Amino acid sequence: MHKSIGTLKEKRSSHRRSHPYFEIIFHYGMLADSRLPVFGWESFSWSELGEILRLFYQSWYVIMSEFESIDDAESGSRWKKAILWIVGILLVVAALGSIGQLIGTGWFGHRSILYGRGELYVLNMSDRERQVVVDGRPPVEILAHNATVVELIGGTSKVEILDKAGNVVERYQITAKNSHALLNISDESCLIVADMSAFYGGGGEKKLAYRAQLRPDQKVYVPESTNVVWPRRSLQLQVKSGGGPATWIELIACSLFDEPEILDGLMHLRLEERMSKTFPGSESETGF
Protein backbone atom coordinates (compact mmCIF):
# COMPACT_ATOMS: atom_id res chain seq x y z
CA MET A 1 0.00 0.00 0.00
CA HIS A 2 1.28 3.43 -0.92
CA LYS A 3 2.07 5.79 1.90
CA SER A 4 0.12 9.03 2.00
CA ILE A 5 1.70 12.15 0.56
CA GLY A 6 1.30 13.89 3.90
CA THR A 7 3.21 11.13 5.70
CA LEU A 8 6.08 11.28 3.23
CA LYS A 9 6.33 15.05 3.44
CA GLU A 10 6.41 14.86 7.22
CA LYS A 11 9.17 12.21 7.19
CA ARG A 12 11.25 14.05 4.60
CA SER A 13 11.04 17.34 6.46
CA SER A 14 11.83 15.77 9.81
CA HIS A 15 15.42 14.93 8.78
CA ARG A 16 16.34 18.48 9.76
CA ARG A 17 15.86 17.47 13.40
CA SER A 18 18.81 15.91 15.20
CA HIS A 19 18.89 13.16 17.75
CA PRO A 20 18.61 14.69 21.25
CA TYR A 21 21.78 12.92 22.44
CA PHE A 22 23.79 14.61 19.70
CA GLU A 23 22.21 17.96 20.54
CA ILE A 24 23.31 17.52 24.18
CA ILE A 25 26.90 16.76 23.10
CA PHE A 26 26.94 19.71 20.71
CA HIS A 27 25.52 22.28 23.14
CA TYR A 28 27.67 21.01 26.02
CA GLY A 29 30.71 21.44 23.81
CA MET A 30 29.68 24.95 22.82
CA LEU A 31 29.44 25.94 26.48
CA ALA A 32 32.52 24.13 27.76
CA ASP A 33 34.61 24.22 24.58
CA SER A 34 36.57 21.38 26.10
CA ARG A 35 38.88 18.89 24.43
CA LEU A 36 38.23 15.19 24.28
CA PRO A 37 40.42 13.56 26.94
CA VAL A 38 40.37 10.06 25.43
CA PHE A 39 42.09 8.30 22.54
CA GLY A 40 44.63 11.13 22.31
CA TRP A 41 41.98 13.48 20.84
CA GLU A 42 43.08 16.48 22.89
CA SER A 43 42.78 18.68 19.80
CA PHE A 44 39.21 17.58 19.09
CA SER A 45 36.40 19.41 20.95
CA TRP A 46 33.08 18.05 22.18
CA SER A 47 31.23 20.64 20.08
CA GLU A 48 33.02 19.41 16.92
CA LEU A 49 32.12 15.81 17.74
CA GLY A 50 28.49 16.80 18.35
CA GLU A 51 28.34 18.62 15.01
CA ILE A 52 29.77 15.63 13.12
CA LEU A 53 27.32 13.24 14.76
CA ARG A 54 24.43 15.59 14.08
CA LEU A 55 25.27 15.94 10.38
CA PHE A 56 25.77 12.20 10.11
CA TYR A 57 22.40 11.51 11.75
CA GLN A 58 20.60 13.98 9.48
CA SER A 59 22.16 12.48 6.34
CA TRP A 60 21.38 8.96 7.47
CA TYR A 61 17.76 9.96 8.23
CA VAL A 62 17.33 11.33 4.70
CA ILE A 63 18.53 8.04 3.20
CA MET A 64 16.34 5.92 5.47
CA SER A 65 13.31 8.11 4.76
CA GLU A 66 13.80 7.60 1.04
CA PHE A 67 14.36 3.89 1.66
CA GLU A 68 11.07 3.49 3.54
CA SER A 69 9.15 5.47 0.92
CA ILE A 70 9.94 2.98 -1.85
CA ASP A 71 7.08 0.61 -2.59
CA ASP A 72 8.23 -2.99 -3.10
CA ALA A 73 5.54 -3.42 -5.73
CA GLU A 74 7.08 -0.76 -7.93
CA SER A 75 9.34 -1.83 -10.78
CA GLY A 76 13.00 -1.59 -9.95
CA SER A 77 12.35 -0.89 -6.27
CA ARG A 78 14.82 -3.56 -5.17
CA TRP A 79 17.59 -1.85 -7.11
CA LYS A 80 16.71 1.48 -5.52
CA LYS A 81 16.86 -0.03 -2.06
CA ALA A 82 20.18 -1.70 -2.82
CA ILE A 83 21.63 1.59 -4.03
CA LEU A 84 20.38 3.37 -0.92
CA TRP A 85 21.96 0.70 1.29
CA ILE A 86 25.28 1.14 -0.51
CA VAL A 87 25.07 4.93 -0.15
CA GLY A 88 24.29 4.52 3.55
CA ILE A 89 27.28 2.24 4.11
CA LEU A 90 29.57 4.65 2.25
CA LEU A 91 28.22 7.46 4.41
CA VAL A 92 29.13 5.55 7.58
CA VAL A 93 32.62 4.80 6.26
CA ALA A 94 33.17 8.43 5.24
CA ALA A 95 31.98 9.67 8.64
CA LEU A 96 34.36 7.39 10.50
CA GLY A 97 37.26 8.34 8.25
CA SER A 98 36.58 12.07 8.50
CA ILE A 99 36.90 12.08 12.28
CA GLY A 100 40.56 11.10 11.98
CA GLN A 101 41.09 13.73 9.31
CA LEU A 102 39.58 16.45 11.47
CA ILE A 103 41.66 15.66 14.54
CA GLY A 104 44.87 15.62 12.50
CA THR A 105 45.57 11.88 12.42
CA GLY A 106 44.65 11.52 8.73
CA TRP A 107 41.81 9.54 7.16
CA PHE A 108 40.88 6.65 9.47
CA GLY A 109 43.73 7.74 11.74
CA HIS A 110 46.32 6.27 9.37
CA ARG A 111 49.08 8.73 10.36
CA SER A 112 48.82 7.78 14.00
CA ILE A 113 48.75 4.06 13.14
CA LEU A 114 51.64 4.11 10.65
CA TYR A 115 53.87 6.80 12.14
CA GLY A 116 52.90 6.99 15.82
CA ARG A 117 52.55 10.03 18.04
CA GLY A 118 55.01 12.26 19.77
CA GLU A 119 55.73 15.70 21.14
CA LEU A 120 56.84 18.87 19.42
CA TYR A 121 59.03 21.00 21.69
CA VAL A 122 58.99 24.62 20.48
CA LEU A 123 61.82 26.76 21.89
CA ASN A 124 61.42 30.53 21.85
CA MET A 125 64.40 32.29 23.42
CA SER A 126 63.65 35.55 21.60
CA ASP A 127 62.15 38.69 23.15
CA ARG A 128 58.89 38.24 21.23
CA GLU A 129 55.82 36.26 22.19
CA ARG A 130 54.74 33.75 19.56
CA GLN A 131 52.01 31.21 18.86
CA VAL A 132 52.33 27.78 17.27
CA VAL A 133 49.72 26.07 15.08
CA VAL A 134 50.17 22.40 14.15
CA ASP A 135 48.09 20.96 11.30
CA GLY A 136 45.47 23.68 11.62
CA ARG A 137 44.70 23.03 15.27
CA PRO A 138 44.03 25.93 17.69
CA PRO A 139 47.10 28.11 18.33
CA VAL A 140 49.19 27.60 21.48
CA GLU A 141 50.99 30.56 23.07
CA ILE A 142 54.75 30.57 23.55
CA LEU A 143 56.02 33.26 25.89
CA ALA A 144 59.30 35.06 25.29
CA HIS A 145 62.34 33.23 26.66
CA ASN A 146 60.24 30.15 27.15
CA ALA A 147 59.14 26.94 25.47
CA THR A 148 56.03 24.83 25.05
CA VAL A 149 55.22 21.23 24.14
CA VAL A 150 52.36 20.35 21.79
CA GLU A 151 51.12 17.08 20.36
CA LEU A 152 52.73 15.89 17.13
CA ILE A 153 51.11 13.24 14.95
CA GLY A 154 53.57 11.10 13.00
CA GLY A 155 54.07 11.67 9.30
CA THR A 156 54.48 15.15 7.84
CA SER A 157 52.95 17.98 9.84
CA LYS A 158 52.49 21.60 8.79
CA VAL A 159 53.62 23.97 11.52
CA GLU A 160 52.98 27.72 11.50
CA ILE A 161 54.46 30.30 13.86
CA LEU A 162 52.26 33.36 14.47
CA ASP A 163 52.92 36.71 16.08
CA LYS A 164 50.68 38.13 18.83
CA ALA A 165 48.32 39.58 16.21
CA GLY A 166 47.83 36.16 14.62
CA ASN A 167 49.90 36.82 11.49
CA VAL A 168 51.99 33.95 10.12
CA VAL A 169 55.69 34.76 10.41
CA GLU A 170 57.25 31.32 9.80
CA ARG A 171 56.19 28.04 8.22
CA TYR A 172 57.74 24.59 8.63
CA GLN A 173 57.12 21.01 7.56
CA ILE A 174 58.20 18.44 10.12
CA THR A 175 58.36 14.74 9.30
CA ALA A 176 58.66 12.27 12.16
CA LYS A 177 58.01 8.57 12.67
CA ASN A 178 57.62 7.25 16.22
CA SER A 179 59.65 10.20 17.44
CA HIS A 180 59.44 13.55 19.17
CA ALA A 181 60.70 16.66 17.37
CA LEU A 182 62.26 19.99 18.29
CA LEU A 183 61.59 23.35 16.66
CA ASN A 184 63.92 26.21 17.57
CA ILE A 185 62.43 29.57 16.65
CA SER A 186 65.05 31.49 18.65
CA ASP A 187 67.46 33.91 17.04
CA GLU A 188 70.77 32.96 18.64
CA SER A 189 70.38 29.77 20.66
CA CYS A 190 72.48 26.63 20.34
CA LEU A 191 71.72 23.16 21.63
CA ILE A 192 73.68 19.95 22.12
CA VAL A 193 72.18 16.47 21.67
CA ALA A 194 73.58 13.70 23.86
CA ASP A 195 72.81 9.98 24.11
CA MET A 196 72.55 9.08 27.78
CA SER A 197 71.39 5.46 27.41
CA ALA A 198 74.40 4.27 29.43
CA PHE A 199 72.90 5.88 32.52
CA TYR A 200 69.65 3.91 32.12
CA GLY A 201 71.18 0.46 32.11
CA GLY A 202 72.40 0.65 28.54
CA GLY A 203 75.74 -0.91 29.44
CA GLY A 204 79.23 0.39 28.78
CA GLU A 205 80.99 3.33 30.36
CA LYS A 206 78.77 5.84 32.18
CA LYS A 207 79.47 8.64 29.79
CA LEU A 208 77.53 10.89 27.45
CA ALA A 209 77.77 10.23 23.71
CA TYR A 210 77.20 13.38 21.66
CA ARG A 211 75.00 12.96 18.60
CA ALA A 212 74.47 16.45 17.18
CA GLN A 213 75.31 20.13 17.54
CA LEU A 214 72.32 22.35 16.76
CA ARG A 215 73.27 25.85 15.70
CA PRO A 216 70.72 28.69 15.35
CA ASP A 217 70.24 28.08 11.62
CA GLN A 218 69.10 24.47 12.23
CA LYS A 219 65.51 25.06 13.21
CA VAL A 220 64.16 21.49 13.16
CA TYR A 221 65.63 18.39 14.74
CA VAL A 222 64.06 14.92 14.96
CA PRO A 223 65.93 12.72 17.49
CA GLU A 224 64.38 9.44 16.28
CA SER A 225 63.26 8.74 19.83
CA THR A 226 60.42 9.39 22.25
CA ASN A 227 62.75 9.01 25.25
CA VAL A 228 63.80 12.64 25.21
CA VAL A 229 64.75 15.03 28.00
CA TRP A 230 64.00 18.54 26.78
CA PRO A 231 66.03 21.63 27.78
CA ARG A 232 65.36 22.76 31.34
CA ARG A 233 63.22 19.69 32.03
CA SER A 234 63.73 17.01 34.67
CA LEU A 235 65.31 13.69 33.78
CA GLN A 236 63.10 10.69 33.19
CA LEU A 237 62.87 8.12 35.96
CA GLN A 238 62.97 5.38 33.34
CA VAL A 239 62.95 5.01 29.57
CA LYS A 240 60.16 3.43 27.56
CA SER A 241 60.97 0.12 25.93
CA GLY A 242 61.01 0.49 22.15
CA GLY A 243 60.95 4.27 22.40
CA GLY A 244 64.48 4.75 21.09
CA PRO A 245 67.70 5.83 22.82
CA ALA A 246 67.62 8.01 25.93
CA THR A 247 68.33 11.43 24.45
CA TRP A 248 69.14 14.67 26.25
CA ILE A 249 68.87 18.00 24.43
CA GLU A 250 70.35 20.93 26.32
CA LEU A 251 70.81 24.67 25.78
CA ILE A 252 74.43 25.80 25.73
CA ALA A 253 76.52 28.77 24.65
CA CYS A 254 77.37 28.51 20.94
CA SER A 255 81.04 29.26 21.70
CA LEU A 256 81.35 25.92 23.55
CA PHE A 257 81.21 24.06 20.24
CA ASP A 258 84.81 25.22 19.76
CA GLU A 259 85.78 23.96 23.24
CA PRO A 260 84.76 20.27 23.28
CA GLU A 261 86.53 19.42 26.54
CA ILE A 262 84.92 22.31 28.41
CA LEU A 263 81.56 21.40 26.85
CA ASP A 264 81.88 17.79 27.95
CA GLY A 265 82.83 18.78 31.50
CA LEU A 266 79.91 21.20 31.72
CA MET A 267 77.41 18.65 30.42
CA HIS A 268 78.53 15.98 32.89
CA LEU A 269 78.36 18.51 35.72
CA ARG A 270 74.79 19.44 34.76
CA LEU A 271 73.92 15.77 34.41
CA GLU A 272 75.28 15.00 37.89
CA GLU A 273 73.18 17.82 39.37
CA ARG A 274 70.03 16.60 37.68
CA MET A 275 70.72 12.98 38.57
CA SER A 276 71.04 13.89 42.24
CA LYS A 277 67.62 15.58 42.09
CA THR A 278 65.93 12.79 40.12
CA PHE A 279 67.57 9.85 41.93
CA PRO A 280 68.43 11.15 45.43
CA GLY A 281 70.74 8.82 47.29
CA SER A 282 71.18 6.45 44.33
CA GLU A 283 74.62 7.42 43.06
CA SER A 284 75.63 3.75 42.67
CA GLU A 285 72.81 3.14 40.20
CA THR A 286 73.59 6.15 38.07
CA GLY A 287 77.33 5.80 37.98
CA PHE A 288 78.14 8.89 40.04
Side-chain angles (χ1 to χ4, degrees):
M1 180 181 294
H2 292 279
K3 297 181 180 181
S4 66
I5 296 177
T7 302
L8 290 179
K9 286 183 177 179
E10 181 181 355
K11 291 182 72 65
R12 291 177 182 178
S13 63
S14 64
H15 75 268
R16 295 184 179 89
R17 297 193 295 270
S18 299
H19 195 285
Y21 291 160
F22 303 154
E23 291 288 351
I24 291 173
I25 294 175
F26 176 73
H27 290 296
Y28 168 77
M30 291 295 289
L31 291 174
D33 194 27
S34 58
R35 304 283 119 181
L36 284 174
V38 295
F39 306 121
W41 293 1
E42 291 83 358
S43 60
F44 198 48
S45 70
W46 284 100
S47 58
E48 291 168 338
L49 176 62
E51 182 66 15
I52 290 175
L53 292 176
R54 184 167 65 176
L55 293 173
F56 168 73
Y57 179 81
Q58 290 175 349
S59 302
W60 179 260
Y61 197 95
V62 172
I63 293 175
M64 290 298 99
S65 297
E66 294 293 333
F67 182 86
E68 293 173 3
S69 68
I70 297 176
D71 194 330
D72 288 335
E74 295 178 357
S75 176
S77 62
R78 292 182 178 178
W79 283 105
K80 292 180 181 179
K81 285 191 173 185
I83 292 174
L84 286 175
W85 270 114
I86 294 173
V87 172
I89 293 172
L90 292 176
L91 177 64
V92 172
V93 172
L96 293 175
S98 65
I99 292 177
Q101 181 72 2
L102 286 172
I103 65 176
T105 61
W107 288 100
F108 303 101
H110 76 278
R111 282 179 56 186
S112 179
I113 295 171
L114 295 176
Y115 309 114
R117 294 171 178 266
E119 298 176 350
L120 175 62
Y121 179 91
V122 186
L123 178 66
N124 177 26
M125 297 302 293
S126 70
D127 297 325
R128 302 175 296 273
E129 293 184 13
R130 290 289 188 246
Q131 302 175 73
V132 58
V133 175
V134 180
D135 288 331
R137 298 198 295 267
V140 177
E141 184 181 32
I142 317 170
L143 299 177
H145 301 283
N146 214 317
T148 191
V149 175
V150 295
E151 183 185 30
L152 183 70
I153 306 299
T156 300
S157 296
K158 296 180 180 179
V159 180
E160 294 180 333
I161 303 300
L162 317 179
D163 59 18
K164 290 185 64 175
N167 302 311
V168 178
V169 294
E170 298 173 53
R171 287 188 174 91
Y172 301 92
Q173 283 195 339
I174 299 178
T175 301
K177 181 177 181 180
N178 299 315
S179 176
H180 295 336
L182 177 141
L183 174 59
N184 182 13
I185 60 173
S186 312
D187 297 324
E188 298 178 356
S189 295
C190 290
L191 302 106
I192 187 75
V193 182
D195 188 327
M196 55 184 305
S197 299
F199 297 92
Y200 287 92
E205 184 182 2
K206 301 297 184 182
K207 190 176 181 180
L208 294 172
Y210 300 104
R211 297 172 54 189
Q213 296 178 351
L214 308 181
R215 298 184 182 274
D217 58 345
Q218 184 172 351
K219 299 299 184 182
V220 177
Y221 180 74
V222 180
E224 307 299 339
S225 175
T226 55
N227 291 313
V228 178
V229 178
W230 299 118
R232 301 178 174 178
R233 299 295 175 93
S234 301
L235 298 180
Q236 298 176 343
L237 293 175
Q238 58 185 4
V239 295
K240 296 175 290 185
S241 177
T247 303
W248 179 22
I249 303 179
E250 182 70 349
L251 273 165
I252 61 163
C254 297
S255 59
L256 288 178
F257 286 151
D258 299 325
E259 302 286 346
E261 293 184 1
I262 298 177
L263 172 60
D264 184 62
L266 175 63
M267 288 293 291
H268 279 86
L269 178 61
R270 290 184 182 180
L271 178 60
E272 184 174 359
E273 293 174 349
R274 295 196 187 185
M275 282 284 190
S276 64
K277 294 179 181 179
T278 306
F279 307 99
S282 301
E283 287 81 6
S284 61
E285 296 180 10
T286 61
F288 291 103

